[in-house]
Amino acid sequence: MSYLETTRNVYRDAALTPDVGLCCTTNPIWELPGLKIPKIMQEMNYGCGSTVNPRDLSNNPKILYVGVGGGMELLQFAYFSRKNDGVIGVDSVDEMLEASRKNFKEAELQNNWFKSDFVELKKGDALDLPVADNSIDVAAQNCLFNIFKTEDLKKALEEMYRVLKPHGRLVMSDPSCEQPMNDELRNDERLRALCLSGSLPLKEYIKALTDVGFGTIEIRARKPYRILDPKHYPTEELIYIESVEVAAIKDPMPEDGPCVFTGKAAIYYGDEDYLDDKKGHVLLQNQPLAVCDKTAAALADLNRNDIFISESTFHYDGGGCC
């Protein structure tokens, strides 16, 4: 049995018998006017963060969500689109698709604005999406891609890149881990399916995105997620896992490499009203400007004594240098 088949079995069981502790999001449930999320959807929220951000969802975007879970994020995306087939949900597990359909009927009873036709559910695989090229404005996945091994992760990201329109966004939430994991953990198919042992260091995760062509990367949140300890897992040391929320934008790749925002800011505090670095960045007197890591390094290389550059906060919410 392949690790992908093990994964399908885990989530087939989770569809038939909701498992509240299978994967625990670190985000509160969205509180939006007129949005009521059925309890069963909350119980089947098998994510590790959130991929729903209102600033991604203006101008009636076409939305793709891969790995439907109980349908909670599909419902949240539909809240912003409110049109037939405005959201596409893709899953390889028949039982999960059927569970979502049932949950949408319950959502209709609790939300007078919602219709099940707002979401088109499709049987499909993240490695071969049943979606046309350049047809999606916002694609999302929550706690799925960390399960994939290297070559399959590359295929899944290439598929997302293929279906996105130019300047479209891939919004993701996945566990990440900076500590090395031993081979026993890495090769444990069930632990991988449970979104634990497939976690990558953030730099490797970002590189996987830029390697397939995404020119802009935004690190939007980084939060505590899980501990693997020697009492319960095959490890001799505590391993700390975080949940990271990332947006990868299908921008053209700059000649000098991708723009990666990790929450750095630059502040000019010199004698002039502003500083213009002649490279497209204007820093107003004592006003923070969000900068990508590449711009932060270039400003630091100026060796000025009137520019402060913050450390990465791993929280970026738009605006800034690019």
Side-chain angles (χ1 to χ4, degrees):
M1 182 185 299
S2 73
Y3 81 97
L4 293 176
E5 187 60 32
T6 298
T7 301
R8 282 189 284 270
N9 288 339
V10 166
Y11 289 94
R12 183 177 297 113
D13 292 343
L16 296 172
T17 306
D19 185 351
V20 177
L22 179 64
C23 200
C24 181
T25 180
T26 54
N27 287 57
I29 301 301
W30 273 94
E31 298 285 347
L32 294 168
L35 174 63
K36 296 182 180 178
I37 298 175
K39 182 180 178 182
I40 184 63
M41 283 187 173
Q42 298 180 41
E43 292 174 348
M44 297 179 69
N45 178 25
Y46 304 136
C48 62
S50 177
T51 63
V52 183
N53 190 315
R55 73 179 177 88
D56 297 329
L57 302 171
S58 60
N59 300 317
N60 298 313
K62 184 74 171 181
I63 302 162
L64 168 68
Y65 189 76
V66 180
V68 301
M72 190 180 86
E73 290 202 312
L74 288 164
L75 176 64
Q76 293 175 78
F77 280 123
Y79 178 89
F80 291 94
S81 65
R82 303 195 185 195
K83 60 184 179 182
N84 286 357
D85 300 334
V87 183
I88 300 172
V90 173
D91 206 294
S92 62
V93 178
D94 290 321
E95 290 82 357
M96 196 64 81
L97 291 167
E98 184 57 32
S100 289
R101 289 189 183 95
K102 291 180 181 178
N103 293 348
F104 288 145
K105 294 300 182 184
E106 180 62 29
E108 284 184 336
L109 297 176
Q110 297 186 30
N111 296 272
N112 58 17
W113 58 267
F114 177 68
K115 295 179 176 58
S116 293
D117 290 343
F118 290 172
V119 181
E120 180 185 9
L121 292 175
K122 291 186 176 185
K123 174 74 175 288
D125 194 309
L127 307 182
D128 186 18
L129 291 170
V131 180
D133 295 0
N134 304 309
S135 62
I136 299 296
D137 296 292
V138 178
Q141 66 83 20
N142 196 334
C143 213
L144 170 62
F145 282 13
N146 75 99
I147 294 171
F148 292 135
K149 296 183 179 180
T150 303
E151 285 305 310
D152 288 333
L153 175 60
K154 182 174 182 289
K155 289 179 184 177
L157 293 175
E158 287 173 341
E159 277 295 277
M160 288 294 214
Y161 190 89
R162 174 184 67 80
V163 304
L164 280 169
K165 297 176 183 177
H167 308 291
R169 296 168 180 260
L170 169 57
V171 187
M172 307 189 295
S173 178
D174 272 308
S176 69
C177 181
E178 301 304 318
Q179 295 168 257
M181 289 197 191
N182 61 48
D183 289 343
E184 187 173 357
L185 284 169
R186 288 292 189 199
N187 295 325
D188 188 309
E189 294 181 355
R190 183 167 179 82
L191 290 181
R192 187 173 280 274
L194 293 175
C195 301
L196 294 172
S197 64
S199 307
L200 293 175
L202 186 56
K203 284 186 177 180
E204 291 184 27
Y205 190 84
I206 292 171
K207 186 175 186 300
L209 290 163
T210 58
D211 280 352
V212 302
F214 288 101
T216 303
I217 309 294
E218 302 178 352
I219 309 302
R220 294 180 169 179
R222 193 174 179 181
K223 307 172 186 177
Y225 178 63
R226 290 287 192 275
I227 289 289
L228 303 184
D229 69 279
K231 291 184 295 184
H232 299 96
Y233 300 94
T235 174
E236 294 181 357
E237 63 176 355
L238 287 178
I239 296 177
Y240 171 56
I241 302 176
E242 294 176 302
S243 168
V244 61
E245 295 174 15
V246 176
I249 303 173
K250 192 176 177 178
D251 288 339
M253 182 65 70
E255 290 184 4
D256 57 351
C259 293
V260 179
F261 289 87
T262 62
K264 291 181 184 289
I267 303 177
Y268 167 66
Y269 55 96
D271 296 329
E272 305 298 327
D273 291 337
Y274 64 89
L275 169 72
D276 185 347
D277 72 348
K278 309 302 182 184
K279 295 181 179 178
H281 312 115
V282 176
L283 283 71
L284 300 179
Q285 169 69 243
N286 211 22
Q287 296 294 313
L289 178 73
V291 291
C292 70
D293 290 7
K294 185 172 58 178
T295 297
L299 290 171
D301 287 344
L302 296 176
N303 293 316
R304 297 180 63 111
N305 62 2
D306 54 8
I307 300 176
F308 173 83
I309 299 171
S310 74
E311 298 294 325
S312 296
T313 62
F314 300 105
H315 174 80
Y316 173 74
D317 197 30
C321 74
C322 299

